[in-house]
Amino acid sequence: MVFTILALSTVFLVRLIDLQVVQAEALTAEADTKRTLTRVTYGTRGDIVDTRGAVLADSVERFDIVISPRVTLLRENASVVVLEELTKITSVIGGDPTALLTMILENPESDFEYLAKGITLEQYQAVLELDIAWLYFELRPERSYPNGEIAGNLVGFMGTDGAQAGLELTEKECLASQDGEASYARGEDGVALPGSSVDMIEQKNGGTLKLTVDRDLQFYVQQRMAQTAEALGATWATAVVMRVSDGHLLAVSDWPTVDPNNVNLSDVRDLGSRAFSTPYEPGSTVKVLTAASLIDAGVANQRTQVVSPYALDLANGGGVISDSFYHEDQRLTLAGALVESSNTAIAQYTELLKASARHDYLQSFGFGEETGIDFNGESSGALYDSNDWDSRTNYAVQFGQGLSVTSVQMASAYQALGNGGVRVPPALVEGCYWPDGSVTDTPSVEGTRVISPEASQQTLQMMEMVYSSSGSAPNLQIPGYRVAVKSGTAQVAEDGGYGRKVVISYAGLAPADNPEYVVIATAGIPDTIYSGAIASTFRDIMAQTLTTYRVTPSESSGPDLPLRW
């Protein structure tokens, strides 16, 4: 008997040593695993705000409802009771209580299943008030765009696979968050024990992306361009407002556009920004750049004279070009050529400067290369090497055909005209503001001289003559301000030639005596084919911009240059 007791005691002692010493570490780890629950702790994606701090995109609180089917079913008559509780829950969040019960019954041993994902804060609070013990909740931030279509073309949107378009995509290094993990001790019912949370991997929030865009001005420009496009029967329309001093884009409008909250309502062609992605032949808005180049090169001035016929035979078999309306021969100065927007006059001035030099000027104005903003889908447009210009293109590029630009590129070229001849890289982002207070991604302010200050001033003066003396002058006037403008009408190339489809635009700067803002408004393939039809739109956007920023009216009168000789 004693021997038997000693033998049993020895067995128990050996087993105890095995459990408490030999296997202690492994068994402790296994026990910790069974009583520990690991959850994702979500980082918050950074906000996108306008230049004044107004929120264009942010992350809102959404919640997932998580359950333990094993614990949920630990009751008498569980199916009936749980169905009653599910009916109460779905009355708040929607869904089929029977389907949810089926899911629970099919996973009777599971300690983790989602009952619902992404419910709102209001729904979360309502479900809490039901006081159902077997529910617990996880915070899951989701993207929201409180201004809808306002700047939707720029902000972009998120999808199930992450960022899909716009700044959400291209600025993800600033905006992106990192999820973390936290462990919790849990009780027999599978619910986390209060105060037991331990961070295993700390979540990181994204930075705040501050744009140069002014939300209120953007709203006005979008509304005005929508009205214009619909009135003209246009296929698309864009508008850009840029500050002269630093190249900041204050508004970039596209029509049609996208509401990031409901992307499925938009055509796939409208999900980005045509102002960046859709190049077009700009037409006569390029003529002021031609004039500026000629003056800067010293081969022409405001009074340089030509005789401008309605039609002109080009050299070297270039064919015939003509003006947009029939007229007798006109004796025009360079200023007069801009006011009359004469193709035949500009073609003659073109001969005063080598093709390679004219190409280089256009390239310096920013044509043929991306703006440096790196916007999603941005196009560089087309500016071919002068060696590839045929005898017709040699002339046509100087009055805006045979090359293509985007609206932002054209605004940037005009910024150089207004900035004393210095082109500053366009900017859409002011910076990324991080949670620790640091700031990155600030735009470059280093400019490149394109033309001399004198050439810039003389070109602006000639553009003022367009403002005061062209046929559209009555629709352009902004009382109290001197304005420098140029219109453009360009035929659209298709099937190897030009038809009746056109792109019309108005571009300019104000105040002309001390330029602060560039505005360009463009309508693609409208029913009305003359640029004058968009003159009042340009005027309204420029007037709104001057009012928004409380620009001091001009104190002197504009120039009075000779247009004919």
Side-chain angles (χ1 to χ4, degrees), residues 319-387:
V320 177
I321 62 169
S322 61
D323 287 337
S324 60
F325 60 93
Y326 178 79
H327 59 78
E328 300 294 334
D329 289 356
Q330 297 175 307
R331 299 158 66 91
L332 300 177
T333 63
L334 182 56
L338 294 184
V339 171
E340 297 296 334
S341 200
S342 172
N343 295 335
T344 61
I346 293 297
Q348 294 177 71
Y349 288 117
T350 290
E351 296 176 346
L352 301 176
L353 193 61
K354 291 182 179 180
S356 59
R358 290 185 274 113
H359 171 277
D360 291 347
Y361 272 114
L362 290 173
Q363 190 173 56
S364 295
F365 276 115
F367 291 1
E369 57 189 29
E370 293 183 11
T371 63
I373 291 176
D374 295 327
F375 190 81
N376 180 226
E378 181 174 355
S379 171
S380 62
L383 175 63
Y384 302 107
D385 189 276
S386 59
N387 292 326

Side-chain angles (χ1 to χ4, degrees), residues 26-39:
L27 291 172
T28 299
E30 183 179 354
D32 286 343
T33 299
K34 289 183 177 180
R35 69 169 181 259
T36 300
L37 178 67
T38 299
R39 298 181 185 172

Side-chain angles (χ1 to χ4, degrees), residues 194-246:
S196 65
S197 172
V198 177
D199 288 331
M200 301 166 59
I201 302 174
E202 186 176 359
Q203 77 268 29
K204 295 182 180 179
N205 297 330
T208 296
L209 188 71
K210 187 177 183 181
L211 307 188
T212 60
V213 171
D214 183 317
R215 180 194 61 181
D216 295 342
L217 183 61
Q218 176 79 20
F219 170 76
Y220 176 84
V221 175
Q222 286 189 206
Q223 294 298 308
R224 189 66 184 87
M225 290 308 298
Q227 294 169 358
T228 298
E230 290 169 359
L232 296 179
T235 301
W236 56 268
T238 64
V240 175
V241 181
M242 179 181 285
R243 190 159 57 209
V244 168
S245 61
D246 54 14

Side-chain angles (χ1 to χ4, degrees), residues 518-534:
V518 175
V519 168
I520 176 168
T522 304
I525 317 180
D527 294 335
T528 302
I529 65 173
Y530 296 106
S531 58
I534 204 171

Side-chain angles (χ1 to χ4, degrees), residues 235-238 254-256 268-282 375-382 404-410 492 503 522-525:
T235 301
W236 56 268
T238 64
D254 292 281
W255 182 91
V268 66
R269 294 169 295 183
D270 305 328
L271 298 183
S273 173
R274 285 184 173 87
F276 283 98
S277 66
T278 303
Y280 58 93
E281 295 194 11
F375 190 81
N376 180 226
E378 181 174 355
S379 171
S380 62
S404 64
V405 300
T406 65
S407 293
V408 175
Q409 285 178 316
M410 183 57 74
V492 175
V503 174
T522 304
I525 317 180

